[in-house]
């Protein structure tokens, strides 16, 4: 490549665009972020900018204003810049793969996102427009754990229809070309952060057909920006700048939004994997805000594990698996409070096995020992082991001590550690990690603390992004 001309070997010689084309090209490249204000089109940087815009439109990157490129300048599209700031205009990477999305990096620091509809278009039924806007948000709520609520109070996202210059430094352009634009989440865009504007000089309609533009299609795309997504050159992606784009986020769009909302996904996954239920909106919003205000993942995971809700689940499970019955309210409340207050699940197990009720089920030592094998190790006793515990009890070892011996045994701890690998990491343990967790459990580590370790592990945090 010659530094003089900036064109690749074998390329036809650049033809200087007509003054009219040069003006249109320059305006386009400036508006959409390809060309800085102080750089002329007739320069290496100018031609590189033109090539980058051709790449975004999936055209041959000729660097000249040819017929196909001229058409792109008139194509209906989003007004959001394809490039921000001073980043180098570049070529697309390996088309066809996922991960081609460009995520700008800012996201909402909470999970319940409010929007206010400032005004609607006079072009068709207002209630229908309101419904389409709600459904456009729902397309994103289907792929990330975010909740969108319409409000009349001060919102996160303001939605409005406007024409020409409308006070945000990015004027609309009359009918055609720019249809709408939107702003990234805070801190980008200041007071405008998240807002979505639609060009009222367009004819808005319900559906993709000639004569106007489909509000739903454009809204799904713009809300992608409101959530923090940039444009992608990938065709058939919601975040491609050229109308019409798919109203269901494509692989690339989903990968992008899941990546930038990975903390939201992790918090929502704790509801699923720790508590066994879908998140509630306010609860998720609360924990996401915590995560964005210097509360560590370890602290959040611990709060889930020692919550009254999880403690109640653990206690209920012990009633069913050790006493073969549902808990009575007073008993459940007692154990739930103990566990939430820091009692280890393993200590609660020992207390259940040492209770009068359990003794009533197995008055004889032989039956008691046999029951521990079956309930804790899930197997019949082996002759040697059984004899060992029988002799110990004959020699005066208490039921409490025997139960404790089982719960802290290598076999029990190894099986419990494996259950955490399967539950959180969806895989079999690797030797070193398995040995490490087993050792810590045998030394008396609270089960809830071990679970916290898995729920807060980088492996789990990364994996859940792909499981949402
Ligand atoms: Zn856009
Ligand atoms: Zn605007």
């Amino acid at each position: 490549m010659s530094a003089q001309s900036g064109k690749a070997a074998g390329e036809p010689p650049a033809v200087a665009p007509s003054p009219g084309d040069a003006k249109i090209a320059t305006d386009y490249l400036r508006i959409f972020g390809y060309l800085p204000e102080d750089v002329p089109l007739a320069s290496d940087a100018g031609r590189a900018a033109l090539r980058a815009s051709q790449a975004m439109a999936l055209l041959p990157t000729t660097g000249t204003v040819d017929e196909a490129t001229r058409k792109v300048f008139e194509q209906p599209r989003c007004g959001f810049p394809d490039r921000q700031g001073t980043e180098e205009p570049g070529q697309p990477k390996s088309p066809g793969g996922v991960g081609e999305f460009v995520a700008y990096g800012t996201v909402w620091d909470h999970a319940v996102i409010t929007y206010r509809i400032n005004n609607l278009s006079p072009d068709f039924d207002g209630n229908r427009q309101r419904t389409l806007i709600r459904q456009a948000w729902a397309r994103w709520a289907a792929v990330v754990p975010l909740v969108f609520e319409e409000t009349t109070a001060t919102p996160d996202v303001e939605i409005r229809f406007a024409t020409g210059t409308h006070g945000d430094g990015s004027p609309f352009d009359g009918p055609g070309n720019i249809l709408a634009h939107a702003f990234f989440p805070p801190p980008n865009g200041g007071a405008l952060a998240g807002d979505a504007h639609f060009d009222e000089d367009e004819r808005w309609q319900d559906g993709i057909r000639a004569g106007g533009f489909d509000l739903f299609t454009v809204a799904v795309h713009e809300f992608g920006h409101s959530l923090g997504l940039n444009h992608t050159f990938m065709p058939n992606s919601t975040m491609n700048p050229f109308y019409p784009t798919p109203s269901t986020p494509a692989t690339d769009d989903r990968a992008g939004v899941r990546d930038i909302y990975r903390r939201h996904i992790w918090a929502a996954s704790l509801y699923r994997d720790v508590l066994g239920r879908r998140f509630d909106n306010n609860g998720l919003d609360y924990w996401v805000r915590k995560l964005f205000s210097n509360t560590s993942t370890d602290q959040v995971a611990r709060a889930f594990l020692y919550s009254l809700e999880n403690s109640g689940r653990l206690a209920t499970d012990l009633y069913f698996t050790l006493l073969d019955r549902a808990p009575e309210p007073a008993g459940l409340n007692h154990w739930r409070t103990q566990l939430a207050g820091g009692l280890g699940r393993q200590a609660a197990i020992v207390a259940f096995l040492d209770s009068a009720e359990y003794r009533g089920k197995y008055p004889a030592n032989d039956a008691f020992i046999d029951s521990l094998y079956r309930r804790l190790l899930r197997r019949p006793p082996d002759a040697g082991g059984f004899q060992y515990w029988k002799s110990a009890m004959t020699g005066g070892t208490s039921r409490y001590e025997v139960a404790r011996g089982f719960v802290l045994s290598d076999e029990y701890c190894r099986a419990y550690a494996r259950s955490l690998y399967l539950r959180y990491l969806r895989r079999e343990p690797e030797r070193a990690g398995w040995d490490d967790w087993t050792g810590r459990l045998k030394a008396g580590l609270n089960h809830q603390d071990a679970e916290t370790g898995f729920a807060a592990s980088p492996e789990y945090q990364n994996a859940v992004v792909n499981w949402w």
Side-chain angles (χ1 to χ4, degrees), residues 55-382:
M56 181 63 96
L58 298 179
L59 290 177
T61 53
T62 60
T64 62
V65 186
D66 48 30
E67 189 53 35
T69 306
R70 208 175 290 119
K71 281 212 179 82
V72 170
F73 295 158
E74 291 155 13
Q75 214 171 321
R77 57 159 292 158
C78 173
F80 189 94
D82 295 336
R83 301 187 167 278
Q84 273 83 32
T86 54
E87 68 184 313
E88 274 297 299
Q91 298 293 314
K93 304 156 295 203
S94 58
V98 291
E100 300 297 338
F101 61 85
V102 187
Y104 201 58
T106 65
V107 293
W108 294 99
D109 65 0
H110 48 284
V112 177
I113 312 299
T114 58
Y115 66 93
R116 181 170 66 194
I117 300 173
N118 182 285
N119 61 328
L120 290 163
S121 169
D123 296 350
F124 67 104
D125 178 62
N127 285 329
R128 181 64 186 152
Q129 292 178 50
R130 205 169 282 276
T131 300
L132 293 174
I133 286 168
R134 191 177 69 242
Q135 290 173 347
W137 285 120
R139 291 300 166 101
W140 292 109
V143 292
V144 275
L146 290 170
V147 179
F148 300 99
E149 288 181 355
E150 188 175 350
T151 183
T152 51
T154 303
D156 293 316
V157 175
E158 176 115 26
I159 295 167
R160 65 187 180 110
F161 290 78
T163 58
T165 300
H166 55 281
D168 59 10
S170 302
F172 281 137
D173 57 352
N177 201 209
I178 294 176
L179 308 180
H181 57 220
F183 297 84
F184 282 138
N188 292 302
L192 291 161
D195 293 0
H197 299 162
F198 297 82
D199 186 352
E200 190 45 70
D201 279 331
E202 312 304 340
R203 176 156 187 81
W204 294 103
Q205 62 188 24
D206 181 7
I208 298 177
R209 57 177 188 276
F213 296 104
D214 180 39
L215 176 60
F216 180 61
T217 291
V218 175
V220 175
H221 174 98
E222 296 307 326
F223 294 165
H225 293 313
S226 298
L227 295 180
L229 289 181
N230 210 328
H231 280 153
T232 175
F233 71 90
M234 294 280 282
N236 304 316
S237 287
T238 298
M239 294 318 292
N240 186 280
F242 300 105
Y243 176 92
T245 43
S247 52
T248 298
T251 307
D252 192 51
D253 305 305
R254 291 198 303 271
V257 77
R258 284 175 183 155
D259 188 63
I260 60 177
Y261 283 93
R262 49 177 48 242
R263 280 174 285 188
H264 294 62
I265 291 174
W266 178 71
S269 297
L270 293 184
Y271 282 92
R272 180 191 61 207
D273 292 338
V274 177
L275 303 180
R277 66 171 172 90
R278 183 182 164 81
F279 64 83
D280 57 283
N281 298 349
N282 291 338
L284 179 66
D285 193 67
Y286 173 85
W287 288 114
V288 169
R289 285 177 192 273
K290 286 279 187 196
L291 282 170
F292 278 82
S293 55
N294 297 323
T295 305
S296 70
T297 51
D298 196 67
Q299 288 170 303
V300 172
R302 187 173 302 277
F304 270 79
L305 265 303
Y306 284 100
S307 66
L308 265 185
E309 181 176 346
N310 188 53
S311 300
R313 278 167 49 85
L314 294 177
T316 301
D317 179 66
L318 296 185
Y319 274 94
F320 278 109
T321 58
L322 299 178
L323 302 181
D324 307 310
R325 66 172 176 90
E328 78 287 1
L332 175 60
N333 193 50
H334 169 79
W335 289 110
R336 185 174 55 187
T337 308
Q338 293 284 311
L339 291 162
L343 181 74
R345 174 175 174 272
Q346 78 284 5
I349 292 172
V350 172
F352 270 71
L353 297 173
D354 189 37
S355 67
E357 182 171 343
Y358 199 81
R359 184 181 295 268
K361 293 168 81 75
Y362 306 102
N365 287 351
D366 284 15
F368 173 69
I369 294 166
D370 184 82
S371 79
L372 298 186
Y373 276 98
R374 293 176 194 280
R375 289 183 190 270
L376 297 180
L377 305 183
R378 298 169 191 278
R379 65 172 174 89
D382 55 284

